[in-house]
Amino acid sequence: MVSDIPKERVLDNTISVLAEGYQFMSNRRIRLKSDIFETRLMGQRAISICGEEAAKLFYDNDRFIRKGVVPKRIQKSLFGESGVQLLDGEEHRHRKQMFMSIMTHERLHDLAQITKRQWNARITDWEQRDKVVLFDEAEEVLCRVACEWAGVPLKEEDVEKRAIEMGQMIDAIGGVGERYQRGKNARIRSEEWIMGIIDQIREGSITPNAETAAAVIAFHKNQDGKLLDTQTAAVELINILRPIIAVGRFITFGALALHDNPDIQTKLKTDHGRYGLMFVQEVRRYYPFAPFLGAKVKESFTWNDYEFKKGTLVLLDLYGTNHDPSIWDHPENFQPDRFADWKESPFSFIPQGGGDYDRGHRCAGEWATINIMKASLEFLTKQITYEVPEQDLTYNLIRIPSLPKSGFIINHVKRLS
């Protein structure tokens, strides 16, 4: 017997998503008393799902497709119009393997070492400044990190510009008007820059190490044996650079967590790795990052007595799943120790998506994120001391993506001997 999916009687809820942000889905689940509900977004019927079992369903590639799901406005700002996120089936698996080949243990170790070195290079300058806005610094530091690790040449005079452009693409995801237009324009400029890099690599005038993302992507071949077209190669190389720079938001929230929980900071100063990983995972679970993901039903099916018709848009609530009380005890409390005995699941903890790394749509760069965060937070706790002056450290769950309003200002920075 098929049950009716709880639904809202509205013409369209697109404006409500912008007005309620990360809590749009949670608000309706509470109101409708259901982890599944139907609404209308961008003029089409949409089903929202939340929770571990919902994530298992969402990442079943036999039931869902991604092609044609990401709105053009997001492609034109955040993802690009030919990236791996928009592919399905064998085409997706072939392209995904390209990304996974870059994320080896050795290369991730290199990434952590580069991150440590780039942070340490900032200390002398910080010691001489009246204040440091950590988020702004994080985007610049991670722009340097991303380009060095990926094999992309970056002139010193271009660092600030490129960091801002990548940040504008990220910031455009929930933006309208001027904020969205900035991200769209930044996408155009960044693709032009990276297309030039790809051309120079293929011509031989730039020769990055063979294991770097720039070299791997420049010479990657489609299933037909042909090189990616220049723009697609640029889009995919940006899909390495941009997510690394996006980690600046997690680092800023991590600094906020340290400030709000001084006892945790004490633990991290004497930690040799395990507690640091628990802390990083809790930052990723607790603070807002990606709000939800979408896919379309491949062929009609029934799940938990609910009917999913072919072509229907289905949205998985990432933020809601990471705060689901049926999965997490006291989810609104910041508790790194919850990960001490965590039985790792690819579907219960999904700050950057879920499912299988190699064949599914789970973010290929998740372990890169973790390595960067660990190195960055070790820097904040073990390499420097600083003070946090009075400022507005609140963050808004309506704004996507969110961030502490002040960007997290620190001062009186000193190097630890």
Side-chain angles (χ1 to χ4, degrees), residues 72-340:
K72 280 289 184 182
R73 67 184 306 277
I74 301 299
Q75 295 180 40
K76 290 178 181 292
S77 57
L78 187 67
F79 288 147
E81 297 187 73
S82 53
V84 66
Q85 302 95 336
L86 312 177
L87 305 178
D88 287 299
E90 286 302 321
E91 187 180 15
H92 174 264
R93 282 189 282 273
H94 183 75
R95 187 82 62 82
K96 184 70 175 289
Q97 283 306 308
M98 175 187 75
F99 282 93
M100 296 308 297
S101 73
I102 297 166
M103 303 295 172
T104 64
H105 176 77
E106 292 76 16
R107 291 296 290 142
L108 290 173
H109 174 75
D110 291 344
L111 179 60
Q113 296 306 114
I114 293 168
T115 302
K116 291 176 183 179
R117 176 163 45 77
Q118 290 290 355
W119 278 117
N120 275 283
R122 302 301 300 147
I123 298 177
T124 300
D125 179 59
W126 288 9
E127 288 179 318
Q128 299 170 13
R129 286 160 60 177
D130 292 334
K131 70 174 186 178
V132 173
V133 180
L134 182 63
F135 175 67
D136 295 344
E137 290 289 313
E139 289 204 318
E140 284 199 25
V141 166
L142 294 181
C143 185
R144 296 172 191 272
V145 169
C147 289
E148 180 179 347
W149 184 71
V152 174
L154 180 64
K155 296 177 181 178
E156 180 60 32
E157 60 266 29
D158 290 340
V159 172
E160 182 179 6
K161 176 176 69 173
R162 299 306 181 190
I164 288 173
E165 287 175 350
M166 294 288 173
Q168 287 173 335
M169 281 190 272
I170 298 160
D171 198 47
I173 185 173
V176 294
E178 185 178 349
R179 179 154 69 106
Y180 172 72
Q181 194 61 46
R182 283 197 301 267
K184 183 178 176 181
N185 292 339
R187 158 66 58 180
I188 293 170
R189 292 191 297 271
S190 295
E191 285 189 14
E192 289 175 349
W193 167 46
I194 297 298
M195 285 171 68
I197 299 295
I198 295 294
D199 284 339
Q200 291 177 74
I201 292 172
R202 289 174 175 174
E203 292 164 0
S205 56
I206 295 176
T207 55
N209 290 336
E211 72 274 12
T212 62
V216 170
I217 293 171
F219 294 112
H220 176 76
K221 293 180 179 179
N222 282 319
Q223 292 167 288
D224 61 7
K226 296 180 181 179
L227 293 174
L228 297 173
D229 66 79
T230 307
Q231 183 172 21
T232 298
V235 166
E236 298 298 36
L237 187 46
I238 290 171
N239 275 333
I240 293 288
L241 305 178
R242 173 186 45 75
I244 289 176
I245 294 165
V247 179
R249 293 179 181 271
F250 273 141
I251 292 168
T252 306
F253 277 125
L256 176 61
L258 292 173
H259 177 65
D260 288 342
N261 302 275
D263 58 316
I264 289 176
Q265 188 164 172
T266 301
K267 290 182 181 179
L268 285 171
K269 285 180 179 178
T270 58
D271 174 63
H272 296 290
R274 186 166 183 267
Y275 191 79
L277 176 59
M278 291 158 52
F279 176 78
V280 163
Q281 297 294 57
E282 181 68 347
V283 170
R284 297 173 65 231
R285 183 201 70 83
Y286 182 82
Y287 291 102
F289 195 64
F292 52 81
L293 293 173
K296 282 190 176 180
V297 177
K298 190 173 183 179
E299 298 290 342
S300 298
F301 66 89
T302 301
W303 176 73
N304 287 359
D305 295 329
Y306 295 118
E307 185 178 13
F308 288 69
K309 293 183 180 179
K310 180 178 179 178
T312 300
L313 175 65
V314 176
L315 303 173
L316 176 64
D317 185 357
L318 303 183
Y319 183 78
T321 299
N322 289 328
H323 292 78
D324 185 348
S326 68
I327 301 173
W328 310 99
D329 291 334
H330 307 292
E332 297 310 318
N333 294 340
F334 187 86
Q335 298 175 344
D337 289 298
R338 71 173 75 248
F339 284 96

Side-chain angles (χ1 to χ4, degrees), residues 319-369:
Y319 183 78
T321 299
N322 289 328
H323 292 78
D324 185 348
S326 68
I327 301 173
W328 310 99
D329 291 334
H330 307 292
E332 297 310 318
N333 294 340
F334 187 86
Q335 298 175 344
D337 289 298
R338 71 173 75 248
F339 284 96
D341 300 313
W342 178 55
K343 294 177 175 59
E344 187 170 346
S345 164
F347 302 108
S348 64
F349 177 50
I350 53 174
Q352 292 171 264
D356 178 70
Y357 285 108
D358 291 322
R359 299 176 64 84
H361 282 79
R362 193 180 187 101
C363 177
E366 187 165 11
W367 279 103
T369 297

